[in-house]
Amino acid sequence: MSTGCVLVAAGSGTRLAAGSPKAFVVLDGRPLLVHAAERVLRSGVCQHLVLVVPDGRQDESTALVSGLAGAEGVVLRAVAGGADRRSSVAAGLAALPADVDVVLVHDAARCLTPPEQVAEVERAVRTGAAAVVPGVPVSDTVRAVDVEGVPRGGPIDRTSLRLVQTPQGFRREVIERAHALASEHGLPAALAATDDASLAELLGAPVTVVPGREEAFKVTRPLDLALATAVLAQERAAGATS
Ligand code: C5P
């Protein structure tokens, strides 16, 4: 029995407008994919790591990640992603060997996710949960509006809301059945493309929410890169003083 991580990194990064696929945008001298993989490897909980990358970049990606600390003893593969996130996750799942019983699905765009978060999600699945997501509280006031921007209903009670992050962890049969169901029945693209736990929930699998961390934010827009640069500088300063 072992744990496999599917690291999805095949997105185009249109909203980042950095001129290359998002996972290959360079942050502090290294692609986002490398930052993300390094933190997954440092968690020490994965025996298998599948990089899901734009077609044609498999060898380059394997070479970038194979030399990282923590990669020794981890079986590394790289496969081509699909047209949307769900098909990229499916390609990664298909590359996992038979002995993997716990699967983590992680966005490379959440490139500064602390290793502790990866380990906590894995532990929650190992100790019995079927599907696990990290979530952080919402700090803004949230309102629903119609297509014209007119508020519908009052402000939503934010204390009951969580922003859902990755890695999301699953018993293997749960994530595989969820993806099979999604491809058979063609679930709404918006749901299927962004969140694997919601797919699992459609099967009736209970989803457990564990505390997430602000550093696991997703790099989506140019401002997020500035934030990521600041977080890395802060980490370095903390490392220098500890
Ligand atoms: O586009 P978004 O930021 O929501 O993508 C989340 C993650 O899914 C990213 O790490 C991205 O590389 C990945 N993705 C993928 N294949 C796609 C679309 C997104 O691997 N076709």
Side-chain angles (χ1 to χ4, degrees):
M1 298 295 112
S2 65
T3 297
C5 178
V6 172
L7 185 60
V8 284
S12 61
T14 315
R15 287 167 293 177
L16 197 55
S20 60
K22 180 158 63 180
F24 293 85
V25 170
V26 172
L27 169 69
D28 198 34
R30 302 186 311 158
L32 299 191
L33 170 67
V34 174
H35 288 282
E38 180 182 53
R39 285 152 197 262
V40 169
L41 292 169
R42 272 175 33 208
S43 74
V45 299
C46 298
Q47 290 76 47
H48 299 270
L49 176 58
V50 179
L51 310 173
V52 185
V53 297
D55 196 17
R57 304 197 78 153
Q58 292 93 318
D59 291 347
E60 170 193 355
S61 303
T62 310
L64 282 168
V65 172
S66 59
L68 292 173
E72 322 80 39
V74 174
V75 181
L76 195 60
R77 289 180 189 76
V79 298
D84 59 20
R85 185 182 180 281
R86 181 167 67 81
S87 48
S88 290
V89 174
L93 291 175
L96 291 170
D99 75 306
V100 169
D101 63 333
V102 170
V103 177
L104 305 181
V105 179
H106 188 34
D107 290 341
R110 297 185 187 275
C111 58
L112 301 185
T113 301
E116 295 77 12
Q117 180 157 320
V118 180
E120 283 164 16
V121 169
E122 200 263 354
R123 194 176 320 121
V125 183
R126 280 269 162 236
T127 54
V132 178
V133 300
V136 289
V138 176
S139 53
D140 290 311
T141 297
V142 180
R143 301 213 55 150
V145 294
D146 66 14
V147 283
E148 262 95 45
V150 178
R152 285 283 168 260
I156 298 164
D157 174 16
R158 67 185 177 197
T159 60
S160 67
L161 298 177
R162 292 293 177 272
L163 298 174
V164 170
Q165 304 178 324
T166 69
Q168 301 191 348
F170 304 91
R171 289 207 304 266
R172 182 180 188 155
E173 69 274 13
V174 169
I175 182 81
E176 284 188 340
R177 273 197 293 132
H179 273 262
L181 184 79
S183 53
E184 271 165 42
H185 297 288
L187 294 167
L191 167 66
T194 63
D195 185 32
D196 296 285
S198 306
L199 293 183
E201 219 158 25
L202 292 175
L203 288 178
V207 174
T208 303
V209 182
V210 297
R213 287 176 174 76
E214 288 189 341
E215 297 87 338
F217 68 95
K218 184 155 65 84
V219 172
T220 304
R221 298 189 177 83
L223 187 62
D224 300 322
L225 275 180
L227 178 60
T229 304
V231 171
L232 282 174
Q234 200 179 40
E235 277 185 4
R236 253 198 308 273
T241 55
S242 62

